[in-house]
Amino acid sequence: MIIKARAELEGITPYALSQTIEEIKEQYGITTVRKLSDNENVYGTSPKVKDAIMEASANLAFYPDGMTSGIVEKLSSHYELDQKRFLVSNGSEEIIRLLTRAYIDKNDEAVMAEVTFPRYKTNVLIEGGRAVTVPMNDGRHDLKNMQDAINEKTRMIFVCNPNNPTGTIVSKQELLSFIDNVPSNVLIIMDEAYFEYADSDEYLDTMPLLEQYQNIVILRTFSKIYSLASLRVGYGIMHEEIAKELYKVRDVFNVNQLAQVAAMAALEDQDFVQDCSRKNSAERDLLSAKFKELEIESFPSQSNFLFAFTNRSVIHKLTENGVLVREMQLPGYKEAFRITLGSREDHEFILRIVSQLFHERAV
């Protein structure tokens, strides 16, 4: 006898994970793999983080701080905001789940871009809600049509800025106007996992808006520029009344002790963060320009990855040479892929492989 799961799970597929490094090595008979498929920070972690983890490893027999008070205190000081505005989580994705659990009822609606982080849609569907997806405009959120999609059933709207997987942002004035026109009873979820990488003058700092707009929830993470992806720690910044509701539905001890001490140490090393941001910007400019010379276009990125597209075959050649990218779909293009920005040496290797491939075909 098969025990039937909830109807809401029908049609939901697990999050697609890329092949492991060992699988790629075995499949192609290679010894070196450059994993540029998961938007990780190629520059490693701050030395302060490693020291903090070593020190904390003596206390593994004890439960972690259930209120994550140490991180909250440091985040409060870092942003100069009241501690009641923060909720620390097992990756920022956990807060997405908590938001839908707390605020989405059966047949409620949530608006989001058509091409964005897929876990928004998944979590809305699990709660019996309806995900309203709005087509993008040249890889960017179409905020006008997203606003038009709001109705009496809408409970929340997701804006990923910079957007995953396209890397694009929406302009300051466009986003300000959008926020101002969203009804106050609709949550605006600003997913800013990559905000430390954004250096455009057109990128909007949403923190000052929290006082004026009590329906804004800002999501950020230690998984990206802080390089703590394996430890799973993120956080949300919001009105304290929203935080109170999320605390009701979150797991007890949701962030492990090593993750907590690592996050606190990482937050203290802003020199490391700035160094990673500078290197990332330089490599982003170089790789996008060199790709263009090879007839590989990309959306203008403000993140640590490029969404590239071309009518030439490149993905298989990259993979068999040990370069892992995330294959995507883009109408009108033979190949589309998201590639995490690597080191200068990574990019020189990639460009040699692609140049050689195109030269062979031209001959």
Side-chain angles (χ1 to χ4, degrees), residues 143 161 170-179 190 204:
L143 294 184
N161 195 42
V170 288
S171 68
K172 280 182 178 179
Q173 194 53 52
E174 187 181 9
L175 185 52
L176 279 170
S177 177
F178 170 78
I179 291 171
M190 295 298 308
L204 178 66

Side-chain angles (χ1 to χ4, degrees), residues 83 331 336:
Q83 294 185 25

Side-chain angles (χ1 to χ4, degrees), residues 21-68:
I21 290 175
E22 291 308 314
E23 287 171 342
I24 292 293
K25 285 181 178 180
E26 183 177 349
Q27 182 176 351
Y28 292 99
I30 55 180
T31 58
T32 301
V33 172
R34 301 165 195 262
K35 184 166 173 277
L36 302 177
S37 54
D38 290 330
N39 299 345
E40 296 151 333
N41 186 346
V42 298
Y43 300 111
T45 54
S46 162
K48 293 183 179 180
V49 168
K50 298 173 184 177
D51 292 342
I53 289 176
M54 287 301 295
E55 184 177 346
S57 64
N59 299 314
L60 296 183
F62 303 105
Y63 284 108
D65 174 4
M67 296 303 293
T68 62

Side-chain angles (χ1 to χ4, degrees), residues 7-22:
E8 287 83 3
L9 301 189
E10 293 180 12
I12 293 178
T13 56
Y15 185 80
L17 298 173
S18 55
Q19 286 180 281
T20 67
I21 290 175
E22 291 308 314

Side-chain angles (χ1 to χ4, degrees), residues 18-19 24 27-28 30 34 36-37 291 296 306-330 333-339 349-350 353-354 357-358 361:
S18 55
Q19 286 180 281
I24 292 293
Q27 182 176 351
Y28 292 99
I30 55 180
R34 301 165 195 262
L36 302 177
S37 54
F291 268 1
I296 301 174
L306 296 177
F307 186 112
F309 40 94
T310 181
N311 281 313
R312 298 184 170 196
S313 297
V314 296
I315 297 174
H316 180 73
K317 189 68 174 179
L318 289 172
T319 304
E320 69 179 12
N321 281 277
V323 179
L324 302 190
V325 299
R326 179 64 68 105
E327 188 171 357
M328 310 298 294
Q329 300 294 323
L330 190 66
Y333 291 90
K334 182 177 182 179
E335 304 232 332
F337 57 95
R338 190 192 67 191
I339 179 169
F349 177 81
I350 291 165
I353 293 297
V354 177
L357 172 66
F358 291 170
R361 290 189 176 164

Side-chain angles (χ1 to χ4, degrees), residues 59-332:
N59 299 314
L60 296 183
F62 303 105
Y63 284 108
D65 174 4
M67 296 303 293
T68 62
S69 52
I71 309 179
V72 169
E73 183 178 346
K74 286 191 177 295
L75 287 169
S76 174
S77 176
H78 181 71
Y79 289 114
E80 298 182 347
L81 287 172
D82 193 291
Q83 294 185 25
K84 294 178 181 178
R85 289 189 174 274
F86 294 92
L87 188 149
V88 181
S89 56
N90 189 284
S92 57
E93 183 185 341
E94 183 191 11
I95 301 184
I96 298 168
R97 177 170 59 83
L98 299 181
L99 285 163
T100 56
R101 179 182 287 184
Y103 290 100
I104 293 290
D105 207 343
K106 195 170 182 64
N107 297 321
D108 285 342
E109 295 185 358
V111 178
M112 63 201 69
E114 187 174 56
V115 182
T116 192
F117 186 48
R119 299 299 290 176
Y120 308 148
K121 181 177 182 178
T122 300
N123 280 286
V124 169
L125 295 178
I126 287 171
E127 300 303 329
R130 177 172 176 261
V132 178
T133 59
V134 177
M136 304 193 82
N137 186 2
D138 292 328
R140 297 171 65 251
H141 283 66
D142 188 339
L143 294 184
K144 173 64 170 61
N145 282 331
M146 290 176 73
Q147 182 183 321
D148 290 344
I150 297 172
N151 59 38
E152 68 279 357
K153 294 183 179 180
T154 307
R155 300 300 306 275
M156 60 184 62
I157 189 161
F158 291 92
V159 179
C160 190
N161 195 42
N163 183 51
N164 180 14
T166 60
T168 56
I169 63 170
V170 288
S171 68
K172 280 182 178 179
Q173 194 53 52
E174 187 181 9
L175 185 52
L176 279 170
S177 177
F178 170 78
I179 291 171
D180 195 50
N181 283 284
V182 171
S184 60
N185 65 327
V186 174
L187 287 171
I188 303 171
I189 317 302
M190 295 298 308
D191 189 344
E192 298 177 353
Y194 302 92
F195 94 101
E196 291 96 345
Y197 290 112
D199 56 11
S200 169
D201 291 338
E202 279 300 308
Y203 187 73
L204 178 66
D205 181 4
T206 53
M207 287 292 180
L209 304 179
L210 288 168
E211 284 296 334
Q212 183 178 355
Y213 302 95
Q214 297 185 2
N215 57 332
I216 291 180
V217 176
I218 300 169
L219 307 184
R220 293 186 178 176
T221 184
F222 286 95
S223 293
K224 305 305 178 183
I225 206 165
Y226 288 102
S227 304
L228 302 184
S230 67
L231 293 176
R232 310 304 302 129
V233 53
Y235 58 100
I237 314 162
M238 64 204 77
H239 190 274
E240 63 180 271
E241 292 302 319
I242 298 174
K244 284 181 182 178
E245 297 303 318
L246 299 192
Y247 270 108
K248 294 177 183 178
V249 295
R250 70 156 198 160
D251 291 339
V252 180
F253 305 123
N254 62 330
V255 182
N256 73 72
Q257 185 63 17
L258 295 185
Q260 292 189 40
V261 299
M264 287 187 277
L267 196 62
E268 290 178 351
D269 196 350
Q270 290 301 309
D271 288 341
F272 173 82
V273 172
Q274 293 304 317
D275 184 55
C276 290
S277 180
R278 284 191 297 269
K279 289 176 181 176
N280 184 81
S281 294
E283 295 308 316
R284 186 171 62 204
D285 291 345
L286 178 138
L287 190 60
S288 59
K290 292 295 185 182
F291 268 1
K292 190 168 186 178
E293 291 176 10
L294 294 168
E295 299 180 17
I296 301 174
E297 299 290 334
S298 60
F299 291 124
S301 176
Q302 283 290 298
S303 60
N304 71 330
F305 57 86
L306 296 177
F307 186 112
F309 40 94
T310 181
N311 281 313
R312 298 184 170 196
S313 297
V314 296
I315 297 174
H316 180 73
K317 189 68 174 179
L318 289 172
T319 304
E320 69 179 12
N321 281 277
V323 179
L324 302 190
V325 299
R326 179 64 68 105
E327 188 171 357
M328 310 298 294
Q329 300 294 323
L330 190 66

